[in-house]
Amino acid sequence: MGLTIGRRTLFAVICAVAVASIYAAQPVLAQIGSDLGVPDADLGWIVAAGQLGYLAGLAVLVPLGDMIDRRRLMAGHLLLTAVGAVLAATATRTWVLLVGMVVAGLFAVVVQTTVAYAAALSTPEERGRNLGVVTSGVVIGILGARVAAGALAAVWGWRSVYVALAVLLVALACLVLTTLPPDARADHATYRQVLTSLGGLFRERLFLSRGLIAFFLFASFGALWSGLALPLAAAPWHLSTAQIGLFGLAGLIGALGAARAGRWADAGFASSVSGGALVLLAASWLAIGQASWSLWLVVIGAVVLDFAVQAVHVSNQHLLTMTHPHRTSSVIGGYMIFYSLGSALGATATTTVFAGAGWAGSSVLGAACAACALVVWASSRRVATEPHLPLSDPQKASRP
């Protein structure tokens, strides 16, 4: 069974809007802080709250995709993400905003259910290409949200961002129920069995190595996009939220440029692509670190960074879903736990470091995370290039 263009597009849009509910706060952090009285050093917790909710959802909600109809699961999670967006939009106290962000993050794991569904519907020959298209929606959501949120906040304030997200999330839930076919399950695994299977992944070398790469990869990513608004809003630039949001276009160009990473993975170059992209990731911080005197260098660095992040991310997921084709929800959910932890670390650390050492300190942080990811890749390269037996069916794996 393959994916039609229409379904690929719908899956990509779902990913974009759902993930935007977590990251839309990034370009308007200064405005939120001013409105609710949050100190600069604590602003990173607003993004981190969504990531922590996301982390919980990856562990307890995404594995449900290997048990029940993913169409209904996706619709329900989209509606509950909208509830979190409404809470954020109406918050008058910081703790209410944080609760809204946690709820939105918890159910925004519909992204991983969607990616896993796309992988399950794909033939082996087109899996990398389809993952590249669908996960491009994630990058569009993360970076495109910066542009849209900055523009909306400049006209109607930061709360309008979450109102718009809630409307889009409800509309997508309706589309899922009316346009996708039922997702019948041949197996009837219990929730305990699925969680046990998920826990078993953490004993596999390929899974752990790709997870650790994702951890450092997205810590570096978060160090840029959760902290960049601070130097851009400060001297000598004093940019508005709308202007800051436009920097997301640079990252978007880079990330979409890496869409071919899925085709390279299909051709057997997933590990090599990861290594080359991680070198580019580390090098990008040389340009990004010059934010105090050159915005053009920041733009170039952002393009390179997001190209690298997307290329590695698609390659990681391709390797893991090819190894575990019959439990894509669990393997994607488990892998994304590392992503969520890394993103939360990057978001909180970059604002804290910026408060004490400025953007130079944040840049060193981002480059160090990239270097750590490269070290993990180099030390585990043989694991990623060896052929793997799919381990999704324990009975098959045990047969002679």
Side-chain angles (χ1 to χ4, degrees):
M1 182 188 299
L3 275 182
T4 65
I5 294 176
R7 287 178 185 170
R8 274 203 304 263
T9 302
L10 175 59
F11 285 172
V13 172
I14 290 170
C15 290
V17 176
V19 81
S21 65
I22 303 173
Y23 290 96
Q26 288 180 335
V28 297
L29 283 175
Q31 197 177 99
I32 293 174
S34 177
D35 186 19
L36 298 180
V38 182
D40 284 355
D42 295 332
L43 288 174
W45 285 104
I46 295 173
V47 178
Q51 290 293 343
L52 293 173
Y54 200 77
L55 174 62
L58 290 170
V60 302
L61 297 179
V62 173
L64 292 173
D66 287 334
M67 295 174 54
I68 60 178
D69 187 329
R70 275 177 280 216
R71 181 188 65 161
R72 294 185 179 276
L73 190 64
M74 289 164 61
H77 286 180
L78 285 167
L79 291 174
L80 290 167
T81 307
V83 171
V86 170
L87 281 174
T90 57
T92 56
R93 294 179 180 273
T94 304
W95 71 266
V96 177
L97 173 64
L98 293 176
V99 169
M101 294 299 294
V102 169
V103 172
L106 179 66
F107 293 102
V109 293
V110 65
V111 171
Q112 266 49 67
T113 302
T114 303
V115 172
Y117 198 9
L121 291 175
S122 301
T123 62
E125 296 76 18
E126 65 176 8
R127 181 168 288 148
R129 181 183 65 179
N130 288 339
L131 285 174
V133 172
V134 175
T135 57
S136 70
V138 177
V139 180
I140 291 171
I142 294 173
L143 301 175
R146 297 181 60 82
V147 180
L152 283 172
V155 179
W156 291 298
W158 67 270
R159 297 177 189 277
S160 65
V161 175
Y162 292 97
V163 172
L165 282 170
V167 172
L168 289 172
L169 289 162
V170 172
L172 285 171
C174 295
L175 277 175
V176 165
L177 289 174
T178 57
T179 63
L180 293 181
D183 177 38
R185 286 304 142 103
D187 299 326
H188 298 283
T190 66
Y191 186 57
R192 180 178 179 179
Q193 288 173 327
V194 171
L195 289 183
T196 300
S197 174
L198 173 60
L201 291 171
F202 288 84
R203 296 190 294 271
E204 296 180 13
R205 290 197 301 163
L206 175 66
F207 178 81
L208 281 176
S209 64
R210 288 289 139 173
L212 285 173
I213 290 171
F215 174 82
F216 291 115
L217 179 76
F218 284 98
S220 185
F221 180 88
L224 172 65
W225 292 114
S226 291
L228 186 59
L230 299 176
L232 296 182
W237 308 115
H238 300 291
L239 300 185
S240 67
T241 55
Q243 291 170 322
I244 292 171
L246 289 174
F247 278 77
L249 290 175
L252 189 59
I253 291 168
L256 292 180
R260 290 194 63 84
R263 296 180 183 271
W264 298 332
D266 285 336
F269 301 113
S271 182
S272 298
V273 168
S274 295
L278 288 171
V279 171
L280 289 176
L281 177 66
S284 70
W285 281 100
L286 294 173
I288 294 167
Q290 313 309 314
S292 62
W293 66 277
S294 175
L295 294 183
W296 280 111
L297 283 176
V298 175
V299 170
I300 292 170
V303 170
V304 174
L305 181 144
D306 284 281
F307 174 90
V309 167
Q310 177 69 350
V312 177
H313 190 42
V314 171
S315 299
N316 283 350
Q317 291 181 97
H318 179 272
L319 283 169
L320 292 173
T321 56
M322 287 296 287
T323 305
H324 303 281
H326 300 295
R327 50 173 176 168
T328 54
S329 288
S330 293
V331 75
I332 292 293
Y335 163 78
M336 292 299 290
I337 289 175
F338 292 94
Y339 151 91
S340 188
L341 287 171
S343 296
L345 172 66
T348 54
T350 192
T351 54
T352 302
V353 170
F354 180 84
W359 188 242
S362 292
S363 298
V364 170
L365 170 69
C369 291
C372 288
L374 186 58
V375 169
V376 174
W377 171 84
S379 64
S380 61
R381 188 178 181 187
R382 181 171 174 271
V383 177
T385 54
E386 289 176 344
H388 291 275
L389 172 69
L391 300 176
S392 55
D393 187 337
Q395 292 181 340
K396 289 181 182 178
S398 64
R399 290 173 188 162

CSV table of all heavy atoms in Angstrom, one decimal, residues 4 6 31 33 35 37 56 62 103 115 122 152 223 241 243 262 268 290 295 306 329 351-352 366 399:
chain,number,residue,atom,x,y,z
A,4,THR,N,-1.1,8.3,-1.1
A,4,THR,CA,-1.5,9.3,-2.2
A,4,THR,C,-0.9,10.6,-1.9
A,4,THR,O,-0.6,11.0,-0.7
A,4,THR,CB,-3.0,9.4,-2.3
A,4,THR,OG1,-3.6,9.9,-1.1
A,4,THR,CG2,-3.6,8.0,-2.6
A,6,GLY,N,-2.6,13.4,-1.8
A,6,GLY,CA,-3.5,14.1,-0.9
A,6,GLY,C,-3.3,13.7,0.5
A,6,GLY,O,-3.3,14.6,1.4
A,31,GLN,N,7.2,39.4,24.4
A,31,GLN,CA,5.8,40.0,24.6
A,31,GLN,C,5.1,39.3,25.7
A,31,GLN,O,4.4,39.9,26.5
A,31,GLN,CB,5.1,39.9,23.2
A,31,GLN,CG,3.8,40.8,23.2
A,31,GLN,CD,3.1,40.7,21.8
A,31,GLN,OE1,2.1,40.0,21.7
A,31,GLN,NE2,3.7,41.4,20.9
A,33,GLY,N,6.4,37.7,28.2
A,33,GLY,CA,7.1,38.0,29.5
A,33,GLY,C,6.7,39.4,29.9
A,33,GLY,O,6.4,39.6,31.1
A,35,ASP,N,3.8,40.9,29.3
A,35,ASP,CA,2.4,40.8,29.6
A,35,ASP,C,2.1,40.2,30.9
A,35,ASP,O,1.3,40.6,31.8
A,35,ASP,CB,1.6,40.1,28.5
A,35,ASP,CG,0.1,40.1,28.7
A,35,ASP,OD1,-0.4,41.0,29.5
A,35,ASP,OD2,-0.6,39.3,28.1
A,37,GLY,N,4.6,39.3,33.2
A,37,GLY,CA,5.6,39.6,34.2
A,37,GLY,C,6.6,38.5,34.4
A,37,GLY,O,7.0,38.2,35.6
A,56,ALA,N,5.9,13.5,28.0
A,56,ALA,CA,5.0,12.5,28.6
A,56,ALA,C,4.1,11.9,27.6
A,56,ALA,O,3.8,10.6,27.7
A,56,ALA,CB,4.1,13.3,29.7
A,62,VAL,N,1.7,7.9,22.4
A,62,VAL,CA,2.1,7.4,21.1
A,62,VAL,C,2.0,5.9,20.9
A,62,VAL,O,1.5,5.4,19.9
A,62,VAL,CB,3.5,8.0,20.7
A,62,VAL,CG1,4.0,7.4,19.4
A,62,VAL,CG2,3.4,9.5,20.6
A,103,VAL,N,-0.6,20.8,28.3
A,103,VAL,CA,-1.7,20.1,27.7
A,103,VAL,C,-1.5,20.1,26.2
A,103,VAL,O,-1.7,19.0,25.5
A,103,VAL,CB,-3.1,20.7,28.0
A,103,VAL,CG1,-4.2,20.1,27.2
A,103,VAL,CG2,-3.3,20.6,29.5
A,115,VAL,N,3.3,10.5,11.7
A,115,VAL,CA,4.5,10.0,11.0
A,115,VAL,C,4.6,8.5,11.0
A,115,VAL,O,4.9,7.9,10.0
A,115,VAL,CB,5.8,10.6,11.7
A,115,VAL,CG1,7.0,10.0,11.2
A,115,VAL,CG2,5.8,12.1,11.6
A,122,SER,N,3.5,3.1,3.9
A,122,SER,CA,4.4,3.3,2.8
A,122,SER,C,5.1,1.9,2.4
A,122,SER,O,5.3,1.1,3.3
A,122,SER,CB,5.6,4.2,3.2
A,122,SER,OG,5.1,5.5,3.5
A,152,LEU,N,1.1,37.8,13.6
A,152,LEU,CA,-0.2,37.9,14.3
A,152,LEU,C,0.0,38.7,15.6
A,152,LEU,O,-0.8,39.6,16.0
A,152,LEU,CB,-0.7,36.5,14.7
A,152,LEU,CG,-1.4,35.7,13.5
A,152,LEU,CD1,-1.7,34.3,14.0
A,152,LEU,CD2,-2.7,36.4,13.1
A,223,ALA,N,18.7,25.6,21.1
A,223,ALA,CA,19.6,26.7,21.6
A,223,ALA,C,19.4,27.9,20.6
A,223,ALA,O,19.5,29.0,21.0
A,223,ALA,CB,21.0,26.2,21.6
A,241,THR,N,8.5,41.9,17.0
A,241,THR,CA,8.2,40.4,16.9
A,241,THR,C,8.0,40.0,15.5
A,241,THR,O,8.3,38.8,15.1
A,241,THR,CB,6.9,40.1,17.8
A,241,THR,OG1,5.8,41.0,17.3
A,241,THR,CG2,7.2,40.4,19.2
A,243,GLN,N,9.4,41.2,12.8
A,243,GLN,CA,10.7,41.1,12.1
A,243,GLN,C,11.5,39.9,12.6
A,243,GLN,O,12.1,39.2,11.8
A,243,GLN,CB,11.5,42.4,12.4
A,243,GLN,CG,11.0,43.6,11.7
A,243,GLN,CD,11.6,44.9,12.2
A,243,GLN,OE1,11.9,45.0,13.4
A,243,GLN,NE2,11.8,45.8,11.3
A,262,GLY,N,15.3,12.0,2.5
A,262,GLY,CA,14.5,10.8,2.4
A,262,GLY,C,14.9,9.9,1.3
A,262,GLY,O,15.0,8.7,1.4
A,268,GLY,N,20.2,4.1,0.5
A,268,GLY,CA,21.2,3.4,1.4
A,268,GLY,C,22.3,4.3,2.0
A,268,GLY,O,23.3,3.8,2.5
A,290,GLN,N,27.6,35.3,15.3
A,290,GLN,CA,27.9,36.7,14.9
A,290,GLN,C,26.7,37.7,15.0
A,290,GLN,O,26.7,38.7,14.4
A,290,GLN,CB,28.5,36.8,13.5
A,290,GLN,CG,29.6,35.8,13.3
A,290,GLN,CD,30.7,35.8,14.3
A,290,GLN,OE1,31.2,36.8,14.8
A,290,GLN,NE2,31.1,34.6,14.8
A,295,LEU,N,23.4,40.4,10.8
A,295,LEU,CA,22.2,39.6,10.6
A,295,LEU,C,22.3,38.7,9.5
A,295,LEU,O,21.7,37.6,9.5
A,295,LEU,CB,21.0,40.5,10.5
A,295,LEU,CG,20.7,41.4,11.7
A,295,LEU,CD1,19.4,42.2,11.4
A,295,LEU,CD2,20.5,40.6,13.0
A,306,ASP,N,19.3,24.4,9.9
A,306,ASP,CA,18.0,23.6,9.7
A,306,ASP,C,18.1,22.6,8.6
A,306,ASP,O,17.4,21.6,8.6
A,306,ASP,CB,16.9,24.7,9.5
A,306,ASP,CG,16.5,25.3,10.8
A,306,ASP,OD1,15.8,24.7,11.6
A,306,ASP,OD2,17.0,26.4,11.0
A,329,SER,N,4.7,3.1,15.5
A,329,SER,CA,4.3,4.1,16.5
A,329,SER,C,5.2,4.0,17.7
A,329,SER,O,5.7,5.1,18.2
A,329,SER,CB,2.9,3.8,17.0
A,329,SER,OG,2.0,4.2,15.9
A,351,THR,N,18.3,30.3,27.3
A,351,THR,CA,17.9,31.6,27.9
A,351,THR,C,18.7,31.9,29.2
A,351,THR,O,19.0,33.0,29.5
A,351,THR,CB,16.4,31.6,28.2
A,351,THR,OG1,16.1,30.4,28.9
A,351,THR,CG2,15.6,31.6,26.9
A,352,THR,N,19.0,30.8,29.9
A,352,THR,CA,19.8,30.9,31.1
A,352,THR,C,21.2,31.4,30.8
A,352,THR,O,21.8,32.3,31.4
A,352,THR,CB,19.8,29.6,31.9
A,352,THR,OG1,18.5,29.2,32.2
A,352,THR,CG2,20.6,29.7,33.2
A,366,GLY,N,25.2,25.8,21.7
A,366,GLY,CA,24.7,25.2,20.5
A,366,GLY,C,25.8,24.4,19.8
A,366,GLY,O,25.5,23.3,19.3
A,399,ARG,N,12.9,-17.5,15.2
A,399,ARG,CA,12.9,-18.7,14.4
A,399,ARG,C,14.2,-18.9,13.8
A,399,ARG,O,14.9,-18.0,13.4
A,399,ARG,CB,11.8,-18.5,13.3
A,399,ARG,CG,10.4,-18.6,13.8
A,399,ARG,CD,9.4,-18.2,12.7
A,399,ARG,NE,8.1,-18.1,13.2
A,399,ARG,CZ,7.1,-17.4,12.6
A,399,ARG,NH1,7.3,-16.9,11.4
A,399,ARG,NH2,5.9,-17.3,13.1
